[in-house]
Amino acid sequence: MASLLQYRSPALSISCPLSLRRRSSSSAAFPGRRKQLPAVQSKIREIFMPALSSTMTEGKIVSWIKSEGELLSKGESVVVVESDKADMDVETFYDGILAAIVVNEGETAPVGAPIGLLAETEDEVAEAKSKAKGQSVVTEAAPPKVATSPPPPAVKAAAPSGPTRIIATPYAKKLAKQHKVDINKVIGTGPFGRITPEDVEKAAGITPAAPSKSISAANVVAAPTPAPAKKGSPTSFPEIPGSTVIPFTTMQAAVSKNMMESLSVPTFRVGYPVSTAALDALYDKVKPKGVTMTALLAKAAAMALSQHPVVNATCKDGKSFTYNSSINIAVAVAINGGLITPVLQDADKLDLYLLSQKWKELVDKARNKQLQPHEYNSGTFTLSNLGMFGVDRFDAILPPGQGAIMAVGASKPTVVADAEGFFCVKNKMLVNVTADHRIIYGADLAAFLQTFSKIVENPESLTM
């Protein structure tokens, strides 16, 4: 019977079904026959790695707030988990004893994997610890089974007769759906017979990662073709004496993954100079009221997007695109150890002062790693402003799942010629937009930038 955990940030808490599962000692030995048991003799619950965001596939244990053997009360924080975007406390909805810690501090585990065991009484603590050791053995023993068994038998293996409950991690279910694998026919090698992502990949006939690396390395040595040489080049660099290898944090790994995904999208870039004299004057007036330049630019972009909805659209499958009903401006923010994009939702509908207040709250949450999933994964258009650092121009990489991203440079005095041919100096900033060429064309982007420029050069509408 599934139960609940609650994860929360220090500022607020959100409850969600995060997987504490009750198991008896008999069901642990025979996972396929749980429904035939007359009664549950013990109440040992598994604490699972929660999914704290839509893009999270694994989490890192930052710290265990409670130690093994400590009594827990309903609502107490048990562990701090680092996702690809934030750190969150995980709370228990049950009274009991933290009998065993399966995943230690600093270690990672896939979403849905057990990270600890909760016992109801002291008599069950020893049994829980025994199960925890058994889980470690099974986890370590699983890879050899995958390596020695050929892929086809995993799919064709006979499923247990009669109605049984399939135990699989969320990511394994997602992979099964993607590769059209009947998960009912997959044999699980995880703890208590749980189906893991590796089991699904094995059933789908996907080559394991280890063999592919060895084959790639062999190709690099044997073949002088350019492609294998590129694959092997990262490992062919000579080591620099005294250098230190630092592994990615969870956030850095997520950023790296997104950047690699962006390479599959055909993009193009358009630059446009915008006069900022009027915007600078407006900023001087509203700055004492707490309005930031980022809020002004986000508001201007949102107003322009409302007139050019295709630039706010999304193409996710390469076969169709979606007009988003909301204009949610994601703004890139550099934080310690990574990059995150808090989202100003419905930016076109908020007045400038409320937008500025909302932005300050989001930045504070981002830097304290307290953002909730909907506050960073719902963007439809991204704004990156390096102008505050004096950068005059740059190109931004398109985030996955969005149609365009705007890179804003610094406003600087520029010599220009007026209509009569006389030279004068005006403050201008260069705006570069990177767009998905599958759904946005050059004329679309040019029209959008013209509208954005008119709003910035006549900014009275921003305060309405």
Side-chain angles (χ1 to χ4, degrees):
M1 176 177 175
S3 55
L4 295 177
L5 271 181
Q6 185 179 60
Y7 71 90
R8 68 173 188 178
S9 69
L12 47 91
S13 62
I14 300 178
S15 61
C16 66
L18 293 183
S19 17
L20 273 174
R21 197 180 299 279
R22 177 181 298 179
R23 298 192 180 278
S24 67
S25 57
S26 301
S27 66
F30 304 98
R33 298 171 54 190
R34 284 192 300 277
K35 294 187 178 180
Q36 300 176 9
L37 296 176
V40 176
Q41 301 298 326
S42 63
K43 295 180 179 179
I44 298 175
R45 299 181 173 89
E46 290 180 335
I47 305 175
F48 290 101
M49 174 63 71
L52 303 180
S53 74
S54 59
T55 58
M56 177 178 170
T57 58
E58 64 178 12
K60 178 180 178 181
I61 303 299
V62 178
S63 64
W64 281 94
I65 301 174
K66 299 295 183 179
S67 304
E68 287 187 357
E70 283 195 58
L71 290 174
L72 304 178
S73 299
K74 177 180 177 181
E76 276 191 296
S77 295
V78 182
V79 60
V80 179
V81 174
E82 177 187 8
S83 72
D84 53 354
K85 303 293 184 182
D87 293 350
M88 293 186 180
D89 291 355
V90 177
E91 299 181 346
T92 177
F93 272 3
Y94 291 91
D95 296 334
I97 302 171
L98 181 57
I101 292 175
V102 178
V103 181
N104 295 315
E105 294 180 1
E107 297 179 346
T108 59
V111 170
I115 59 175
L117 296 178
L118 184 69
E120 191 170 80
T121 65
E122 292 184 0
D123 297 335
E124 298 161 354
V125 171
E127 181 183 356
K129 290 184 176 180
S130 177
K131 284 186 178 182
K133 293 180 180 178
Q135 288 179 347
S136 300
V137 173
V138 172
T139 303
E140 294 172 1
K145 292 182 181 179
V146 176
T148 56
S149 301
V155 181
K156 298 179 180 179
S161 59
T164 59
R165 184 175 184 180
I166 301 301
I167 306 173
T169 67
Y171 188 48
K173 293 179 181 178
K174 181 179 179 181
L175 283 178
K177 185 176 180 181
Q178 289 178 348
H179 298 294
K180 297 181 180 179
V181 173
D182 186 355
I183 202 166
N184 296 299
K185 296 181 181 179
V186 178
I187 299 176
T189 60
F192 306 111
R194 180 176 294 106
I195 298 172
T196 65
E198 290 77 13
D199 297 328
V200 176
E201 291 178 346
K202 172 183 170 184
I206 299 175
T207 306
S212 65
K213 289 182 180 178
S214 61
I215 293 173
S216 175
N219 290 341
V220 172
V221 175
T225 55
K230 289 182 180 179
K231 291 183 179 178
S233 58
T235 58
S236 64
F237 291 145
E239 292 186 6
I240 306 299
S243 61
T244 303
V245 177
I246 306 297
F248 278 166
T249 63
T250 306
M251 179 176 290
Q252 289 170 334
V255 172
S256 176
K257 178 176 177 292
N258 287 340
M259 295 301 96
M260 294 302 296
E261 287 182 5
S262 69
L263 296 177
S264 63
V265 179
T267 59
F268 73 107
R269 297 165 178 82
V270 175
Y272 201 95
V274 180
S275 297
T276 61
L279 184 67
D280 293 338
L282 175 62
Y283 178 57
D284 291 337
K285 293 180 181 178
V286 297
K287 183 178 179 180
K289 299 179 182 179
V291 177
T292 64
M293 180 59 74
T294 297
L296 284 168
L297 294 172
K299 180 66 175 178
M303 293 176 64
L305 288 170
S306 65
Q307 300 181 45
H308 304 275
V310 70
V311 184
N312 192 54
T314 300
C315 176
K316 296 181 180 179
D317 57 5
K319 300 177 182 179
S320 62
F321 64 97
T322 303
Y323 279 107
N324 295 302
S325 58
S326 299
I327 297 176
N328 300 335
I329 306 295
V331 184
V333 174
I335 62 175
N336 185 24
L339 175 74
I340 197 167
T341 53
V343 178
L344 289 165
Q345 298 181 355
D346 295 319
D348 58 320
K349 299 176 182 177
L350 299 178
D351 67 67
L352 182 60
Y353 302 101
L354 184 58
L355 193 70
S356 296
Q357 181 180 353
K358 182 66 176 176
W359 175 241
K360 288 183 178 180
E361 294 173 358
L362 289 171
V363 171
D364 289 340
K365 284 186 176 183
R367 288 175 176 162
N368 291 314
K369 304 186 78 172
Q370 297 173 3
L371 287 173
Q372 300 303 313
H374 70 278
E375 293 175 324
Y376 57 74
N377 63 11
S378 58
T380 59
F381 179 91
T382 297
L383 172 67
S384 181
N385 178 19
L386 291 182
M388 66 180 73
F389 300 109
V391 176
D392 59 352
R393 67 184 68 193
F394 68 103
D395 289 328
I397 299 176
L398 182 67
Q402 294 184 19
I405 178 172
M406 175 184 287
V408 180
S411 174
K412 292 188 174 182
T414 305
V415 177
V416 297
D418 60 19
E420 298 179 357
F422 293 100
F423 290 100
C424 61
V425 177
K426 292 184 178 180
N427 286 339
K428 284 184 173 289
M429 67 179 181
L430 185 62
V431 176
N432 288 338
V433 178
T434 302
D436 185 342
H437 213 332
R438 296 174 298 178
I439 57 174
I440 303 171
Y441 303 144
D444 299 323
L445 211 51
F448 164 76
L449 286 170
Q450 286 178 344
T451 301
F452 176 79
S453 177
K454 290 178 182 178
I455 294 173
V456 170
E457 292 174 0
N458 301 277
E460 294 81 9
S461 59
L462 295 177
T463 58
M464 295 181 181

